[in-house]
Amino acid sequence: MKVFVEFIGYLARKIGRGWLWVEVCEGDDLRDLFLKRLSSWLEVDIARSLLDAFIRGEVRIAVNGRIVWDLDLKLSDGDRILLFPLAAGGCSLSIGS
Amino acid sequence: MSRRLYGYAGRILRLDLTRRVAVKSETGYDLARDFIGARGFGAKILWDEVKPGIDPLCPENKMVLSFSPLTGTSAQSFHRLFAMFKSPLTDGYFRSTGGGFFAAEVKFAGYDAIIIEGRAEKPVYVWICDDDVEFRDADHVWGATVDGAAEILREETDRNARMLVIGPAGERLVRIACLVTEDYRTPGRGGGGAVWGSKNLKAIVVKGSGRPELFDPDLFKELVEEQVDVYRRSPLFDAFHRLGTNSVVYEFYTLGHNPTYNFKNVELENVEVWRPEVLERYIVKHYGCFACMIACGKKWKLTMGPYAGLVWDFPEYETHWSFGSTCGVTNLEAIAYANMLCDRYGLDTISAGAIVAFAMELYEKGIITERETDGLRLRWGDGDVVVELVRKIALREGFGDILAEGVARAAEIIGRGAERYAMHSKGLELPAYDPRAAKAHGLSYATSNIGGSHMIGWNKYEILGRPERVDPLSTEGKGLLAKIVQDQVAAYEAAGWCAFAELVQTVGYGSVDRTMGWIGSILYAATGVEEFRNPGYLWIIGERVYNIERAFNVRDGFSRRDDWLPERFLKTPFPRQPARGQVFELDRLLDDYYSARGWDSRTGIPTRVRLEELGLGYVADELEKIGRL
Ligand code: SF4
């Protein structure tokens, strides 16, 4: 199954693209998305930095328009996952630098 | 302790336009202690001086422009202008606010508030230079746009003067006309421009040379340093500085806010142009208000299409929505151009766009046709139509004359079921959030004393999940949450603070209690008023301000039935993610809210007990005397 991942504002600039479709496996949760799936598309340290920035509260994640706080959230086919800096546009993060 | 007030300018200026007389009086210690300043002063003075039942456009209406003891100091972002008046749009109490440099300049000239009353026989402007106050003829600038008038008035007074001006819309009594500063910051909502138009007042121009004296300058300096540090560390600081309120347009759309097509809320095509990476390409300059390092203002340059060549203030988040999403428009150039017209004509951008969206839906439904619209085809998504309708509204030209009345009155004039598509509360057009997608925020739309405003109770808990997480779709505890935020905002605004800046600082601290504690300390350091040191006392002031505003409306006949939202929100399920299937549970939420406020839940009127607890026994007495309690 596939999910749609979008990067907004500063994240898009830093990563060099605004979105991508990512293949995930049945039973994957958000943590898996960062640690296993995104790392095959992005540099490993970028995927890890994104996860850390989320944990520090500097990056927010919305799944199908709802803010999520919990990395255990299970993914479903076609989920739309948005990653944005707290109030998009910010450049205080050190993702992949 | 001395009863001397520090931080304050110490005087209130009363401008009697009928007699062309200016009277100065002392800023009372009790008024300062009980209401702080800014919105607090306006609420109290309006309660004392504006009689119930008057027409907002008659000479008996008054406008209070008021400022805070922190205005004009080095404290960051406390230099807002607050305008309180009875609104020609809602027929009730109104508070409108804008940034810029005007408020600080009035403080420098030596005034904590300006009360405007009466009606000049013919157009005038008022020139205030410290102690000197002159009423001058304004025939030569009557009819001029804001920018045109400002340029002439600067030449006649002082090149560095600051001013508040109305444009042709205010002169024509357009009910959504606003006041505009010389740097295009606007106390935009509620029709304050029409109130000035009805008084034949074109502008107030001011230049001051004084500075507020502080009670404890060393403590004050320390607290400002702390503020600067918290701003810098706040994760919101960079976003606001870099892109202003536009930083959240795309994000909020995806979270179910930024409603589309007059709140029908179907998906907006081409919404990717709202992405911050696209919007920031238009920015050519950053600027800010007096003593605010956030500098969230942006100048945009248009280089393509029929509006190419324009360099003007960018459309803020709300304006981006009003001429964009709610009209189905994603043409950024047309949105920026409509915004520029509003600044020059003196129109509230939120209401203007909301009215155009209302007209577009009437056209779609066949309730109006080209016969009524002066031949215009009001198709969703047509940016040029938006621009043309804005011009017609501002000048009350043709069909624009009806729309200039605001959606509630226009719907009555048009009839044929048009009221179903008039998205307002208490007559004020609703802004860029959908009540179904954030319930406490929606409850503030319904219960706000000024009608459908997003600022009276902007719910950071629901919208940002900061400083604490709250599920925006749940109804649990939302009465109390709406009350808490409304009181918080009222306290901050009595201190003259900017809502964006408050957000930056509160998210920086990660706690409302720390913010309230800091405000208490800095108010004390500025003024020497002992009570301000106690954050609990600031909460009481917030609630007191909110209740006296409510009482103003109650005295004018408002009750629970006015705490209302359009049927669309109550009956039609929200169609898109993330709030798909949600409706707004008005009655249940209202019961919860009145109970949290300690008001009578049958009538929505504050009880005597609550009013007395807030030090408003005199308000209860008056309401009882006229049979409203
Ligand atoms: S945050 Fe923006 S609007 Fe608020 S005071 Fe600063 S510059 Fe003005």
Side-chain angles (χ1 to χ4, degrees):
Chain A
M1 60 186 198
K2 278 184 168 176
V3 295
F4 182 72
V5 184
E6 246 189 301
F7 307 101
I8 307 298
Y10 166 71
L11 300 180
R13 274 198 310 278
K14 198 81 189 172
I15 287 162
R17 58 194 301 172
W19 55 269
L20 39 92
W21 281 100
V22 182
E23 195 81 46
V24 294
C25 299
E26 205 68 45
D28 271 1
D29 59 19
L30 269 177
R31 190 176 285 100
D32 298 321
L33 175 73
F34 285 104
L35 296 181
K36 298 186 196 156
R37 315 297 166 212
L38 272 179
S39 52
S40 62
W41 285 92
L42 309 171
E43 286 172 40
V44 176
D45 63 336
I46 290 189
R48 180 77 232 181
S49 302
L50 280 171
L51 182 62
D52 291 344
F54 171 74
I55 292 165
R56 287 196 305 271
E58 290 167 2
V59 162
R60 302 209 298 162
I61 301 177
V63 176
N64 302 324
R66 295 203 71 166
I67 297 286
V68 295
W69 308 95
D70 182 2
L71 288 166
D72 296 333
L73 184 92
K74 291 270 180 271
L75 300 177
S76 307
D77 191 32
D79 274 349
R80 191 175 168 202
I81 299 163
L82 250 99
L83 278 79
F84 40 87
L86 183 59
C91 62
S92 57
L93 310 177
S94 54
I95 292 166
S97 58
Chain B
M1 194 200 88
S2 155
R3 308 268 293 179
R4 177 170 169 200
L5 284 172
Y6 291 84
Y8 293 89
R11 293 183 305 178
I12 290 176
L13 176 65
R14 186 178 294 271
L15 301 175
D16 177 344
L17 296 168
T18 310
R19 296 186 302 134
R20 287 190 169 219
V21 170
V23 179
K24 293 155 199 159
S25 60
E26 200 180 303
T27 304
Y29 187 91
D30 291 354
L31 175 69
R33 182 200 53 212
D34 294 350
F35 291 92
I36 305 178
R39 175 169 160 193
F41 276 14
K44 173 69 163 84
I45 295 169
L46 277 198
W47 166 263
D48 287 345
E49 298 196 10
V50 173
K51 300 249 170 334
I54 60 150
D55 176 352
L57 297 178
C58 79
E60 285 71 38
N61 195 9
K62 301 192 182 194
M63 180 180 286
V64 181
L65 304 174
S66 41
F67 322 103
S68 145
L70 300 174
T71 302
T73 69
S74 59
Q76 296 287 295
S77 331
F78 282 90
H79 318 282
R80 289 187 77 80
L81 150 67
F82 284 80
M84 274 65 57
F85 51 96
K86 184 170 181 181
S87 161
L89 208 52
T90 68
D91 284 319
Y93 169 86
F94 212 89
R95 93 88 180 83
S96 198
T97 176
F101 291 73
F102 181 84
E105 200 68 36
V106 178
K107 274 290 287 288
F108 298 160
Y111 309 100
D112 295 311
I114 301 175
I115 303 171
I116 302 162
E117 58 189 32
R119 172 187 281 153
E121 207 179 313
K122 56 200 202 67
V124 292
Y125 77 93
V126 181
W127 165 225
I128 302 169
C129 185
D130 292 326
D131 280 348
D132 298 330
V133 181
E134 266 182 62
F135 294 79
R136 292 183 171 181
D137 288 345
D139 277 330
H140 60 309
V141 282
W142 200 254
T145 55
V146 167
D147 49 321
E151 187 46 37
I152 291 172
L153 296 181
R154 243 193 306 262
E155 275 179 18
E156 290 177 7
T157 55
D158 186 305
R159 286 305 306 171
N160 297 315
R162 301 292 177 176
M163 61 188 85
L164 200 55
V165 186
I166 62 167
E171 296 170 11
R172 287 166 170 79
L173 309 184
V174 172
R175 287 181 193 269
I176 61 162
C178 65
L179 310 170
V180 188
T181 65
E182 81 294 336
D183 52 351
Y184 308 110
R185 293 290 177 152
T186 53
R189 307 226 66 198
V195 172
W196 278 33
S198 75
K199 294 182 176 308
N200 274 325
L201 177 61
K202 179 71 180 177
I204 295 180
V205 188
V206 63
K207 187 84 187 81
S209 59
R211 289 295 179 271
E213 198 185 331
L214 301 172
F215 173 68
D216 185 340
D218 292 338
L219 176 61
F220 192 88
K221 188 163 168 267
E222 246 173 64
L223 289 160
V224 174
E225 279 165 9
E226 176 179 333
Q227 184 188 28
V228 167
D229 188 47
V230 179
Y231 272 17
R232 283 223 176 89
R233 283 190 287 107
S234 171
L236 287 183
F237 177 79
D238 239 31
F240 266 107
H241 176 66
R242 200 179 170 93
L243 201 51
T245 51
N246 257 342
S247 60
V248 293
V249 180
Y250 188 73
E251 171 187 340
F252 281 11
Y253 173 82
T254 62
L255 299 180
H257 313 305
N258 210 282
T260 62
Y261 302 98
N262 199 31
F263 293 88
K264 286 201 294 182
N265 254 320
V266 286
E267 295 283 358
L268 184 64
E269 268 179 48
N270 197 27
V271 74
E272 291 70 34
V273 296
W274 286 180
R275 290 176 65 106
E277 314 89 273
V278 179
L279 301 181
E280 68 186 9
R281 286 188 213 136
Y282 288 82
I283 297 173
V284 288
K285 190 178 165 194
H286 302 267
Y287 69 94
C289 304
F290 179 88
C292 180
M293 61 194 267
I294 298 171
C296 74
K298 313 288 158 239
K299 293 275 181 210
W300 268 22
K301 182 176 74 175
L302 305 186
T303 53
M304 289 184 308
Y307 308 115
L310 181 75
V311 177
W312 201 263
D313 276 22
F314 78 143
E316 300 269 1
Y317 168 80
E318 287 288 337
T319 306
H320 202 111
W321 164 82
S322 65
F323 296 131
S325 314
T326 199
C327 295
V329 171
T330 51
N331 174 342
L332 289 166
E333 283 73 17
I335 294 168
Y337 198 83
N339 178 52
M340 182 272 290
L341 284 186
C342 285
D343 285 348
R344 300 182 70 200
Y345 287 132
L347 267 192
D348 170 19
T349 58
I350 298 178
S351 285
I355 291 169
V356 174
F358 159 74
M360 284 178 161
E361 189 162 11
L362 296 188
Y363 183 81
E364 176 198 64
K365 298 284 187 300
I367 293 172
I368 54 173
T369 65
E370 278 117 278
R371 259 184 314 178
E372 284 105 333
T373 64
D374 311 324
L376 281 176
R377 300 169 72 184
L378 307 186
R379 285 173 308 196
W380 294 115
D382 189 336
D384 296 336
V385 162
V386 172
V387 168
E388 178 58 4
L389 272 187
V390 165
R391 195 188 61 75
K392 280 174 170 288
I393 292 170
L395 300 177
R396 279 192 178 274
E397 186 189 289
F399 183 51
D401 191 33
I402 295 175
L403 300 182
E405 293 292 295
V407 291
R409 285 178 174 80
E412 262 180 50
I413 296 167
I414 293 166
R416 305 189 290 271
E419 73 282 355
R420 291 185 56 199
Y421 307 104
M423 298 293 126
H424 69 94
S425 184
K426 298 188 180 75
L428 185 71
E429 289 75 17
L430 295 176
Y433 301 85
D434 193 301
R436 293 166 291 188
K439 300 288 166 71
H441 192 69
L443 192 49
S444 268
Y445 275 10
T447 57
S448 149
N449 295 317
I450 69 169
S453 157
H454 60 297
M455 296 307 289
I456 282 297
W458 197 86
N459 208 295
K460 51 186 170 281
Y461 300 82
E462 286 189 334
I463 295 167
L464 283 188
R466 300 294 178 105
E468 287 157 42
R469 293 174 213 167
V470 169
D471 177 1
L473 302 182
S474 133
T475 52
E476 196 77 22
K478 291 302 175 72
L480 182 59
L481 182 64
K483 171 196 180 289
I484 287 173
V485 175
Q486 289 170 347
D487 292 348
Q488 244 174 51
V489 171
Y492 296 151
E493 293 193 341
W497 209 4
C498 171
F500 308 142
E502 178 273 311
L503 200 57
V504 170
Q505 189 155 339
T506 299
V507 170
Y509 275 137
S511 139
V512 167
D513 288 346
R514 287 188 67 189
T515 303
M516 217 39 121
W518 178 87
I519 291 228
S521 304
I522 199 158
L523 280 171
Y524 169 71
T527 64
V529 176
E530 195 70 35
E531 285 85 345
F532 293 163
R533 296 173 97 162
N534 172 9
Y537 181 70
L538 299 187
W539 281 102
I540 291 174
I541 291 193
E543 191 167 356
R544 181 182 293 148
V545 169
Y546 207 85
N547 274 262
I548 203 168
E549 293 172 336
R550 182 76 175 188
F552 181 99
N553 281 350
V554 168
R555 194 171 58 176
D556 246 311
F558 284 61
S559 66
R560 176 172 178 144
R561 69 169 187 280
D562 299 291
D563 290 340
W564 171 90
L565 285 176
E567 202 181 67
R568 173 165 279 167
F569 303 117
L570 315 187
K571 301 231 168 108
T572 311
F574 192 88
R576 67 179 172 96
Q577 294 283 26
R580 181 170 289 151
Q582 291 286 321
V583 291
F584 189 78
E585 301 87 340
L586 181 66
D587 279 330
R588 179 142 54 90
L589 285 159
L590 280 182
D591 288 342
D592 191 28
Y593 173 78
Y594 297 138
S595 139
R597 279 233 168 262
W599 294 352
D600 181 336
S601 70
R602 202 174 36 86
T603 60
I605 293 176
T607 57
R608 171 173 279 283
V609 174
R610 195 75 208 107
L611 290 171
E612 284 179 348
E613 281 166 356
L614 295 169
L616 297 174
Y618 56 95
V619 170
D621 292 345
E622 188 168 334
L623 291 180
E624 198 167 282
K625 208 165 72 196
I626 59 168
R628 296 291 291 146
L629 205 62

